[in-house]
Amino acid sequence: MAIRLLAIDLDGTLVNHQLEMDSRDVAAVKAAAAAGVTVVLATGRMFKSSLRYAEPLGLKGPIINYQGAVVREIASGEVWYRCELSVEMQQRVLAFAEPRDWHVNAYVNEVVYTARARPEADLYARVAMVPYEVVGPLSKWLRQDSTKMVLVDLDPTEVPARMAELGAWMGDVARVTRSLDWFVEVVNPQVSKAKALAMVADRLRIPQASVCAIGDNLNDEDMVTWAGFGVAMGNAPAALKQVAKYVTGSISEAGVSQVIERFVMGKEDTLVRA
């Protein structure tokens, strides 16, 4: 079946470690959009952080942010969907993180808040290319829902253990996942890229079989699994490759453009698995 909706993760999929997009990928995305395919960025990034990539691609339609916690239309700013962390959910995260001096960001109305300036905060600001505001201990400051929370560790090798610890602590109270090497992300347990993508497809009246999703990390697993044609990047972990219907080239090889040229524009049978 022809691909009519193409969901693409940003970091590690379309955006490299230099925070840039490959010109081959940019050209392919533009070609797909020009051919009538709806292209949706599906990212953990904030709306304003992802716009710097959506705009050069010429995208005006829906965009999935915060791991699926918010879906809005780029052109109008209209919010199609929002599902946030309650104060109680956030306080449970902080009850575990603050005694261990783990760095935590909270996101409220497109602003990043954190307890104090430290290298972890600066790392996040550099990658997301957004500033942060210092408000003191978050457990004393928080009085409202937030879109997500992110724990930052300067040593990526420590992240899996932190994910496991926090995941066990949170249980089914919140969803704990990983985006980039340094980031542990916490969202409402009802949030996922797959649910957000399914909602977009339903609103646009596009069947699941006509949806392609491309990702590179564990936070993309549900989206890649749900899509009619789920694709893992060559630089993805083995767990993601195992659930994907196709494994494309790595980000350094412009893997996104390979998928678009072969299966979206080239109309090759998406039942293939390689």
Side-chain angles (χ1 to χ4, degrees):
M1 186 173 288
I3 299 300
R4 295 172 53 199
L5 175 58
L6 174 60
I8 311 174
D9 171 57
L10 278 179
D11 295 283
T13 301
L14 199 57
V15 177
N16 62 26
H17 285 302
Q18 289 73 47
L19 304 177
E20 298 172 342
M21 296 186 291
D22 192 298
S23 60
R24 293 170 291 179
D25 288 335
V26 172
V29 169
K30 286 184 175 180
V37 177
T38 299
V39 180
V40 177
L41 300 182
T43 175
R45 284 180 179 260
M46 307 164 65
F47 178 66
K48 64 183 179 182
S49 176
S50 56
L51 279 183
R52 68 181 63 249
Y53 300 110
E55 290 173 347
L57 295 170
L59 303 181
K60 303 292 184 182
I63 185 169
I64 297 169
N65 293 113
Y66 296 103
Q67 308 296 355
V70 179
V71 180
R72 75 179 77 201
E73 189 176 58
I74 296 172
S76 67
E78 177 191 356
V79 175
W80 289 11
Y81 174 81
R82 183 189 300 274
C83 183
E84 299 188 303
L85 289 165
S86 68
V87 172
E88 292 75 18
M89 293 171 183
Q90 296 173 77
Q91 291 291 1
R92 184 167 177 83
V93 173
L94 296 169
F96 193 79
E98 286 186 342
R100 293 163 174 78
D101 195 32
W102 289 7
H103 176 81
V104 182
N105 292 337
Y107 301 72
V108 180
N109 297 324
E110 285 289 303
V111 179
V112 183
Y113 296 96
T114 194
R116 68 182 193 273
R118 54 193 287 184
E120 292 89 342
D122 294 335
L123 170 63
Y124 182 85
R126 185 167 64 253
V127 172
M129 292 179 277
V130 293
Y132 58 86
E133 293 192 18
V134 174
V135 294
L138 290 177
S139 57
K140 296 180 179 179
W141 176 82
L142 282 170
R143 295 292 183 274
Q144 58 188 312
D145 294 353
S146 72
T147 318
K148 72 171 180 178
M149 303 185 92
V150 172
L151 287 71
V152 183
D153 195 317
L154 298 177
D155 184 356
T157 64
E158 296 181 355
V159 170
R162 291 203 173 191
M163 276 189 63
E165 289 180 67
L166 184 61
W169 170 261
M170 297 303 295
D172 59 3
V173 174
R175 178 172 175 239
V176 180
T177 188
R178 184 179 192 175
S179 54
L180 287 178
D181 291 347
W182 315 274
F183 304 155
V184 177
E185 308 216 1
V186 185
V187 292
N188 185 294
Q190 301 303 312
V191 164
S192 73
K193 289 186 179 183
K195 288 183 179 179
L197 182 57
M199 186 273 292
V200 170
D202 182 67
R203 181 159 174 161
L204 298 178
R205 298 182 179 179
I206 296 174
Q208 184 177 359
S210 294
V211 180
C212 174
I214 311 174
D216 79 299
N217 217 324
L218 299 179
N219 61 321
D220 301 312
E221 185 172 346
D222 57 357
M223 176 177 76
V224 168
T225 302
W226 178 85
F229 188 56
V231 178
M233 295 292 289
N235 46 284
L240 186 64
K241 291 178 179 178
Q242 287 172 2
V243 301
K245 290 186 174 65
Y246 183 75
V247 178
T248 188
S250 67
I251 188 167
S252 62
E253 299 167 324
V256 169
S257 70
Q258 294 176 23
V259 174
I260 293 173
E261 291 164 5
R262 183 174 177 182
F263 298 105
V264 180
M265 305 300 292
K267 310 300 183 186
E268 187 169 332
D269 189 354
T270 54
L271 294 176
V272 68
R273 180 181 173 104

